[in-house]
Amino acid sequence: MTFEELGFIEPINKALKDMGYVEPTDIQHQAIPLVLQRKDVLGCAQTGTGKTAAFALPIIQMIHQKEIATKRRTTLRALIVTPTRELALQIDENIEAYSKYMPLKHAVIFGGVKKPAQIRALKGGVHILTATPGRLLDLMSEGYISLDDIKLFVLDEADRMLDMGFIRDIEKILKALPKKKQSLFFSATMPPNIVKLSQQILYKPIKVEAARVSSAAETVRQYVYFTNRTSKKALLQHIIKESELSQVLLFARTKHGADRICRDLKKVGMKAMAIHGNKSQPQRQKALKSFKDGKTPILVATDIASRGIDIDDLSYVINYDIPNEPETYVHRIGRTGRAGKKGRAISICEPEENQYVKDIERLMGKSITRIDDHPYPQTDKPMTAAEKKEWNKEKQLRKQQYFESRRKSRGRRPARSK
Ligand code: AMP
């Protein structure tokens, strides 16, 4: 079964090809036809199964074909509510990638950051909004968002939503939504309180269930090095040098992070190339070819970019940061140790990520071998909530200063001749 066979239009198929998607995943295969038939869907699926595309792709197609959008004004037609800022960003990034050949407008809003940029995005007109509950209600009460014209509502990760205490918020959102709409409800687990919530939302739903994300391939040997945030760079270089690693797929959380790691490796004479969303298709292909041919031993990738990478015989996966979604870890390390071959996954963990390692071990039901014998042991403690808040504030400030200085230096550049 291909995406074309699921009935997607050319701009979507083209975008999927760019992302390296070949076949729909199990949940996509089951859910997409139902969503396109305008049915309510109750999806039992965890992160990592491809559930985002299962709801995002048909929504994009229906908006593009004006099935759930008007011809004239850009109105908010689809609302996706998800519990965390990371998930919200990830969903919106996916929507951006899937709709890159279409004039579709989308935005993402979440708490913990200032509102003006989000308000500006909303004022520009949006077809699809991805939101965390608190900020959504906040901006609704301030009059920046109306849910009156919503035709399609997605509640993502419903079980986590309840675990995080969002039930009141969800009830408020439900009240503000129009009665007549299509609803999609996704949850990794279906305990009675979730079933009850789903009954409140869905009309004659059809249940689909994705195969669970498999536990890490048995053939992958997994190691974790605990260190301090400031020692990560040195430790990475030490690990690569010491073990003379090559054929390393290294994961970074952000595009800038991937570029920085690459630069730092190059500074100490190690060959590395980065692939991520800001790189053009030819740049990505060049990096991939050089990696496959063995000319570049280290490929640094973000999670999204790595999806299109299919490399036989990949020897090592290095997690330069530990993903906060344990399923992402399982996906990352699944890139090595394929077809019964030996693979190794090495994770470099700073104090803030200690908890993520525990979550991963819980999901896999086994522990990761800890390497203590290295020159950069972890001596710092994880930050307290207050320290974290302070640190985030500083980070935000540094980011603003960075963008400000870039804006200023752009302003100084002489105008380009046409
Ligand atoms: P999700 O469960 O939606 O978070 O998706 C997990 C990962 O799988 C994401 O990085 C997606 O980009 C990727 N993905 C989703 N569908 C496909 C597909 N059909 N083929 C390859 N990768 C996919």
Side-chain angles (χ1 to χ4, degrees):
M1 167 74 76
T2 62
F3 283 99
E4 279 96 339
E5 282 164 336
L6 280 178
F8 284 118
I9 48 177
E10 187 44 31
I12 293 184
N13 290 329
K14 200 165 160 220
L16 294 178
K17 235 174 239 142
D18 288 355
M19 293 182 80
Y21 290 16
V22 182
E23 273 183 29
T25 64
D26 182 33
I27 190 80
Q28 291 162 5
H29 186 230
Q30 295 182 56
I32 288 169
L34 299 172
V35 183
L36 288 172
Q37 286 162 32
R38 314 296 320 275
K39 299 267 195 285
D40 278 11
V41 172
L42 174 63
C44 191
Q46 5 163 218
T47 300
T49 52
K51 71 175 158 60
T52 312
F55 60 75
L57 291 174
I59 293 177
I60 291 169
Q61 170 139 320
M62 290 192 291
I63 289 181
H64 185 71
Q65 296 187 322
K66 310 277 184 255
E67 272 186 49
I68 57 170
T70 46
K71 286 205 176 63
R72 290 169 289 112
R73 239 163 19 99
T74 306
T75 27
L76 184 58
R77 293 301 190 176
L79 172 69
I80 301 160
V81 178
T82 191
T84 68
R85 161 202 174 122
E86 285 78 18
L87 280 166
L89 277 165
Q90 222 166 291
I91 293 170
D92 188 63
E93 257 179 51
N94 276 309
I95 293 173
E96 167 81 31
Y98 301 148
S99 65
K100 74 176 191 191
Y101 296 112
M102 286 174 243
L104 184 127
K105 297 186 97 180
H106 58 95
V108 58
I109 57 171
F110 45 79
V113 294
K114 295 211 172 87
K115 293 177 195 166
Q118 298 182 350
I119 294 171
R120 265 198 307 279
L122 292 167
K123 279 185 174 165
V126 169
H127 294 109
I128 307 177
L129 179 66
T130 306
T132 53
R135 180 57 58 97
L136 173 65
L137 287 168
D138 214 6
L139 293 177
M140 276 164 62
S141 72
E142 290 174 22
Y144 294 109
I145 301 170
S146 155
L147 304 185
D148 291 352
D149 294 315
I150 293 288
K151 297 277 180 207
L152 207 146
F153 169 60
V154 183
L155 190 69
D156 186 36
E157 307 247 337
D159 48 356
R160 266 172 79 182
M161 208 76 95
L162 295 201
D163 284 349
M164 290 169 73
F166 282 136
I167 186 68
R168 287 270 146 71
D169 286 352
I170 296 171
E171 281 166 357
K172 280 188 207 155
I173 295 166
L174 292 178
K175 270 203 195 114
L177 282 162
K179 280 233 152 48
K180 198 164 167 255
K181 63 183 176 304
Q182 183 181 7
S183 301
L184 315 174
F185 184 105
F186 287 90
S187 186
T189 54
M190 289 288 166
N193 59 343
I194 292 292
V195 175
K196 200 171 141 218
L197 179 67
S198 75
Q199 287 163 347
Q200 245 174 288
I201 298 175
L202 302 169
Y203 173 73
K204 291 192 185 168
I206 300 185
K207 189 170 175 188
V208 295
E209 198 161 342
R212 284 188 81 75
V213 176
S214 61
S215 65
E218 292 300 320
T219 47
V220 180
R221 288 208 221 138
Q222 302 170 53
Y223 306 94
V224 58
Y225 290 69
F226 288 93
T227 192
N228 295 335
R229 177 193 294 274
T230 47
S231 315
K232 272 192 161 177
K233 186 166 98 181
L235 177 57
L236 171 69
Q237 292 167 5
H238 167 80
I239 295 170
I240 295 176
K241 251 194 220 144
E242 183 86 339
S243 316
E244 294 179 13
L245 303 190
S246 69
Q247 268 263 310
V248 179
L249 178 59
L250 194 149
F251 283 95
R253 183 173 293 137
T254 63
K255 300 171 202 171
H256 293 302
D259 284 337
R260 200 173 43 238
I261 294 168
C262 237
R263 270 199 310 273
D264 290 339
L265 288 172
K266 281 185 193 156
K267 269 189 211 155
V268 293
M270 295 181 183
K271 278 189 175 171
M273 286 175 112
I275 59 166
H276 53 65
N278 284 359
K279 300 273 181 191
S280 66
Q281 198 57 24
Q283 279 174 324
R284 288 190 200 200
Q285 271 158 0
K286 191 174 154 208
L288 202 52
K289 183 164 186 318
S290 177
F291 184 62
K292 281 186 178 173
D293 294 347
K295 288 184 190 144
T296 302
I298 305 161
L299 188 66
V300 185
T302 54
D303 286 298
I304 295 233
S306 80
R307 283 286 137 195
I309 305 174
D310 194 14
I311 307 160
D312 296 332
D313 286 337
L314 185 61
S315 318
Y316 297 94
V317 161
I318 295 186
N319 295 302
Y320 190 75
D321 52 59
I322 317 289
N324 59 344
E325 303 282 350
E327 294 83 2
T328 305
Y329 173 88
V330 177
H331 271 277
R332 285 183 178 183
I333 73 160
R335 317 315 301 272
T336 178
R338 285 191 174 175
K341 296 207 178 90
K342 278 204 189 84
R344 275 176 208 177
I346 297 166
S347 299
I348 301 177
C349 176
E350 62 185 61
E352 298 316 304
E353 297 167 336
N354 291 356
Q355 183 57 44
Y356 301 161
V357 171
K358 287 190 194 138
D359 294 344
I360 290 164
E361 291 181 326
R362 195 172 322 126
L363 176 82
M364 294 191 307
K366 68 180 199 184
S367 53
I368 304 174
T369 308
R370 190 184 163 126
I371 308 284
D372 290 319
D373 182 20
H374 67 83
Y376 307 98
Q378 190 177 94
T379 49
D380 295 346
K381 295 256 172 309
M383 282 186 262
T384 60
E387 284 168 339
K388 212 174 203 167
K389 206 168 161 195
E390 194 53 36
W391 188 78
N392 274 332
K393 237 196 224 157
E394 268 174 38
K395 199 165 99 180
Q396 195 66 23
L397 198 70
R398 273 203 305 275
K399 220 170 166 181
Q400 274 169 0
Q401 283 167 344
Y402 169 76
F403 285 116
E404 189 64 16
S405 69
R406 272 196 23 178
R407 203 174 51 82
K408 277 188 186 148
S409 68
R410 258 205 302 270
R412 278 202 296 273
R413 218 179 285 156
R416 242 189 265 160
S417 54
K418 289 207 173 139

